[in-house]
Amino acid sequence: MTTTHADRIPDQTKPVAPERLPLWPLLALTTAAFMAILTEALPAGVLPEMAAGMSVSESAAGQTLTIYALATGFSAIPVVTATASWPRRRLMLVAVAVFAVANAVTALSSSYVLTMGFRLAAGVAAAVVWAELVGYARRLAPPHLQGRAIALTMAGVPLALSLGIPLGSFLGDLFGWRMTFGLMAIVSVLLMAWIRVAVPEFPGRKAGEREPILAALRLPGVVAVLFTVAAYILAHNILYTYIAPFLAANGMDGRREAVLLVFGVASVASIVVTGALVDRRLRLLTITGAVLFLVAAGILTVFASNPVMLFLAVALWGLGWGGVPTVMQTAVNDAGGDRAQPLLVTTWNSFMAGGGALGGVMLGAFGAGSFPWGVMALMVPVLVVVVAARAHGFPSRRPGLEP
């Protein structure tokens, strides 16, 4: 007998949902994703004020982002293993409670060391959130709408990047950076109440049902998806992290806010399209996104100093990027089930940090003009792997769906 993907997943991971999307609990999960990203990235929008408030350099204040990302990447596998038996909603509530405490401490503390300690704790909590979101979305939705449920849940990511961080920066200018972090702590507490009321409880895994997380690497398609994630995230973060020096090198420094706005709007549009199509067109969406990003990079190699071509490239980049969290989360869960999720979290966050490091090396050694070339060098193998992974990883028809 052939073993199917569904056979490899314990019973409690299967959806127990009506034939429509339960929007109220899914939107609570979307908000959890929004808060995880905003808690991580808000220091970037208030960096000078935050550095002054803690009496450290801006470079040192910037490490509040680094320690968060590294904690998320390195803790995903051990923390998921250690909490495998916990009830799932209780685990989510603990993670969001850590966001609340960490943001409150950041708002009140003048100690750099104390702030960094709680930022590390928040990064570990984010690993829990990312490991649980997709599994929860799949359980809550009927099989033919699971991709759409994941898309809705993961919409919190581009919304936080395109709207939340600029709003946080605006509020920081208006009320001060400490008040902004305090507001985030309050929102986290309200989110805990929302999750408690709206999101159903699911049991953890019993000892005999736990499968080694690393064993998911042996399942067909998992390695192909993780490679695609690694290269895609590395390429994106080389360019996104250093978009300011790239624009300055091409005489476009005064257009930074407009560029980020166009990128954000295009990313949100991509999320909408991805949510509508991912259940039936995951492979097409992945190939199209990679092609759009590759074309954008090609335009930027030659025409970055032309405003029209620059904004066209940024729009294509946003369209190619916005749906990536949804398609990759869906693909890795189709291939490896819930136990592959921590592998995705580790890969995603490790290569996010790696993009910043590699981009810094490229900037120093070759200048900002090297970024689009680096993106193309990474996205070509992404496209090759996705096209080749027709049977497993990025199949034409997702497992478990009717033809």
Side-chain angles (χ1 to χ4, degrees):
M1 180 183 294
T2 302
T3 300
T4 66
H5 168 72
D7 295 327
R8 299 195 298 260
I9 304 178
D11 286 345
Q12 76 263 25
T13 67
K14 294 180 180 178
V16 287
E19 289 303 306
R20 58 186 177 82
L21 288 181
L23 291 179
W24 194 239
L26 285 174
L27 287 173
L29 298 178
T30 303
T31 306
F34 181 91
M35 291 305 297
I37 290 293
L38 197 56
T39 299
E40 176 177 10
L42 182 60
V46 293
L47 200 62
E49 297 81 6
M50 193 174 178
M54 292 190 294
S55 301
V56 297
S57 68
E58 290 187 19
S59 176
Q63 300 313 304
T64 58
L65 285 84
T66 303
I67 196 169
Y68 188 109
L70 291 177
T72 301
F74 286 114
S75 69
I77 293 176
V79 78
V80 168
T81 301
T83 59
S85 63
W86 288 32
R88 300 294 93 184
R89 184 178 62 190
R90 183 187 304 172
L91 184 59
M92 285 288 289
L93 287 171
V94 170
V96 177
V98 173
F99 289 158
V101 173
N103 284 319
V105 169
T106 303
L108 298 172
S109 171
S110 297
S111 168
Y112 179 72
V113 174
L114 181 64
T115 299
M116 289 290 279
F118 277 90
R119 292 284 298 174
L120 186 149
V124 174
V128 170
V129 171
W130 297 129
E132 291 300 315
L133 282 180
V134 173
Y136 242 121
R138 291 172 73 97
R139 293 180 183 98
L140 291 169
H144 67 287
L145 293 177
Q146 287 178 355
R148 193 169 299 179
I150 294 171
L152 178 59
T153 300
M154 299 308 296
V157 176
L159 287 175
L161 291 172
S162 60
L163 301 177
I165 294 173
L167 177 60
S169 180
F170 171 76
L171 291 175
D173 291 339
L174 202 60
F175 301 112
W177 69 274
R178 292 189 184 277
M179 184 69 74
T180 304
F181 278 100
L183 179 61
M184 288 175 58
I186 294 171
V187 172
S188 298
V189 172
L190 295 176
L191 176 59
M192 290 176 63
W194 187 359
I195 291 172
R196 180 64 181 83
V197 171
V199 177
E201 182 68 278
F202 288 96
R205 296 177 185 270
K206 298 177 182 178
E209 296 172 339
R210 301 174 198 169
E211 300 179 22
I213 291 173
L214 293 178
L217 292 170
R218 296 198 294 269
L219 298 176
V222 170
V223 171
V225 176
L226 293 179
F227 171 83
T228 303
V229 168
Y232 220 126
I233 298 305
L234 194 63
H236 169 74
N237 278 279
I238 286 173
L239 189 56
Y240 189 81
T241 303
Y242 295 96
I243 189 65
F246 178 76
L247 293 174
N250 288 279
M252 295 289 175
D253 191 42
R255 301 178 185 266
R256 187 188 316 169
E257 288 77 11
V259 164
L260 292 176
L261 178 62
V262 169
F263 177 82
V265 170
S267 296
V268 172
S270 179
I271 275 284
V272 173
V273 173
T274 301
L277 299 178
V278 68
D279 286 303
R280 298 288 178 181
R281 297 288 184 266
L282 185 144
R283 178 177 175 82
L284 176 62
L285 288 169
T286 310
I287 293 174
T288 302
V291 169
L292 288 174
F293 194 11
L294 192 56
V295 171
I299 294 173
L300 291 176
T301 60
V302 180
F303 299 110
S305 58
N306 181 304
V308 174
M309 298 302 288
L310 171 69
F311 281 106
L312 172 63
V314 170
L316 294 176
W317 173 21
L319 291 171
W321 166 254
V324 168
T326 297
V327 296
M328 297 306 168
Q329 298 270 8
T330 304
V332 83
N333 274 270
D334 283 349
D338 285 355
R339 58 183 166 147
Q341 186 64 25
L343 297 174
L344 179 68
V345 175
T346 296
T347 302
W348 189 290
N349 284 275
S350 299
F351 281 87
M352 181 184 298
L358 179 58
V361 172
M362 292 172 64
L363 181 63
F366 308 109
S370 65
F371 295 153
W373 294 100
V375 169
M376 288 196 296
L378 288 163
M379 291 307 298
V380 167
V382 163
L383 193 56
V384 170
V385 169
V386 172
V387 170
R390 177 180 294 275
H392 303 286
F394 302 97
S396 299
R397 182 179 300 147
R398 290 181 54 218
L401 296 183
E402 295 296 327

